[in-house]
């Protein structure tokens, strides 16, 4: 089935854009050269059909993830987002494989969406994210920090606080940026909590985190 999607990718491939995208991603991945609208159009109808099945095709996703082209990993992310209401806690090890491989901010910041959605349905995800927030892998920690983005009044504030505390005093750009984004996002819902958190932890927060987190205060 994935071969059919690859054929569509190949038909739309743009070698010039492919080189530009590869350079933008620091030459870590090969590209077909498809920007998001074109890429998603290649599998729009397929995802509509999959939603009717109400079942995740993990064999398909693993095949796509193992493909050399970055658009294939983007397809996996879009598939999981489209099918996120059918994910269960037992699927987390399968998603973790995607989080721990071919890592960069683009796939990481997409995979937080189905993980966060699952967390609203099953509170066992909370304990898992707390564990991930102390992982040696910075990208696993970034998922934990960001997975509650856009929750607004559904935010588990105690969980957010502990995850952020677990990542203070970091010298990792992608961690400090994520902390800032988490604070900035929640400041739209509870600015006083964010102000208090920044004030109480300012000596241990990176300047980048404070700058990002204070943007709307």
């Amino acid at each position: 089935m994935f071969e059919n999607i690859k054929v569509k990718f190949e038909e739309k491939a743009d070698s010039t854009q492919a080189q530009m995208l590869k350079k933008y991603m620091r030459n870590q991945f090969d590209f077909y050269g498809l920007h998001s609208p074109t890429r998603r159009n290649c599998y729009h109808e397929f995802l509509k059909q999959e939603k009717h099945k109400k079942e995740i095709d993990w064999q398909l996703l693993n095949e796509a993830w193992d493909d050399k082209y970055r658009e294939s990993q983007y397809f996996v992310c879009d598939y999981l987002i489209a099918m996120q209401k059918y994910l269960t806690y037992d699927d987390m090890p399968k998603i973790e494989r995607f989080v721990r491989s071919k890592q960069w901010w683009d796939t990481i910041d997409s995979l937080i969406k189905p993980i966060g959605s699952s967390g609203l349905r099953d509170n066992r995800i909370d304990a898992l994210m707390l564990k991930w927030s102390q992982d040696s892998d910075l990208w696993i920690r970034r998922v934990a920090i960001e997975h509650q983005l856009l929750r607004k009044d559904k935010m588990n504030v105690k969980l957010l606080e502990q995850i952020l505390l677990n990542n203070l005093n970091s010298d990792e750009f992608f961690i400090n940026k994520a902390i800032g984004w988490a604070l900035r996002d929640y400041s739209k819902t509870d600015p006083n909590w964010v102000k208090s958190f920044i004030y109480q932890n300012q000596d241990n927060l990176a300047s980048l985190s404070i700058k990002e987190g204070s943007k709307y205060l």
Side-chain angles (χ1 to χ4, degrees):
M1 185 65 72
F2 181 60
E3 285 301 317
N4 295 336
I5 295 172
K6 277 180 66 70
V7 168
K8 292 183 179 181
F9 284 169
E10 290 164 0
E11 289 173 349
K12 301 287 186 180
D14 184 324
S15 59
T16 300
Q17 289 298 315
Q19 289 303 311
M20 291 176 64
L21 289 168
K22 184 174 183 177
K23 184 177 180 180
Y24 175 65
M25 299 300 283
R26 300 186 181 181
N27 297 310
Q28 297 181 92
F29 312 104
D30 289 324
F31 284 85
Y32 284 111
L34 309 181
H35 289 285
S36 296
T38 302
R39 183 190 78 246
R40 288 175 175 146
N41 189 56
C42 290
Y43 48 77
H44 174 73
E45 289 301 319
F46 173 75
L47 289 186
K48 284 176 64 176
Q49 295 170 13
E50 287 295 289
K51 287 181 181 179
H52 291 300
K53 296 179 183 178
K54 302 179 181 180
E55 185 176 350
I56 309 292
D57 187 341
W58 291 104
Q59 182 177 344
L60 168 75
L61 296 185
N62 286 326
E63 183 182 350
W65 194 264
D66 291 338
D67 188 70
K68 66 177 288 189
Y69 292 99
R70 196 58 168 168
E71 285 90 348
S72 300
Q73 284 91 65
Y74 295 158
F75 161 71
V76 172
C77 294
D78 285 342
Y79 181 108
L80 288 172
I81 291 169
M83 300 288 282
Q84 60 189 7
K85 68 179 181 180
Y86 305 116
L87 290 168
T88 69
Y89 179 79
D90 292 333
D91 291 320
M92 287 304 299
K94 300 167 188 173
I95 298 176
E96 184 176 351
R97 173 182 177 248
F98 303 147
V99 179
R100 289 191 182 274
S101 60
K102 302 190 177 184
Q103 297 167 305
W104 199 239
W105 60 263
D106 51 348
T107 52
I108 294 299
D109 291 354
S110 292
L111 291 169
I112 63 169
K113 298 171 185 177
I115 293 172
S117 173
S118 298
L120 288 172
R121 299 190 302 275
D122 191 328
N123 58 19
R124 289 179 293 178
I125 300 290
D126 293 352
L128 181 62
M129 291 298 102
L130 195 56
K131 180 181 178 181
W132 281 20
S133 73
Q134 297 175 293
D135 198 274
S136 60
D137 187 323
L138 78 91
W139 297 109
I140 290 283
R141 298 202 306 277
R142 184 174 168 100
V143 169
I145 294 166
E146 294 184 342
H147 85 282
Q148 291 197 91
L149 288 179
L150 305 179
R151 280 195 181 178
K152 300 181 179 180
D153 58 355
K154 294 181 180 179
M155 175 73 70
N156 182 333
V157 182
K158 289 184 178 180
L159 177 64
L160 172 66
E161 181 176 25
Q162 190 57 58
I163 287 174
L164 295 181
L165 290 174
N166 286 345
N167 284 276
L168 296 181
N169 299 303
S170 174
D171 58 1
E172 292 284 359
F173 171 83
F174 288 107
I175 292 298
N176 292 327
K177 190 80 168 180
I179 290 172
W181 283 350
L183 291 170
R184 181 179 68 189
D185 177 65
Y186 192 52
S187 73
K188 301 173 188 176
T189 301
D190 191 341
N192 290 329
W193 186 91
V194 173
K195 285 179 185 177
S196 177
F197 182 88
I198 291 175
Y199 176 75
Q200 292 175 26
N201 299 284
Q202 56 186 323
D203 292 340
N204 301 305
L205 280 165
S207 57
L208 174 62
S209 300
I210 295 174
K211 179 183 177 180
E212 291 287 345
S214 303
K215 185 172 183 179
Y216 299 127
L217 297 179

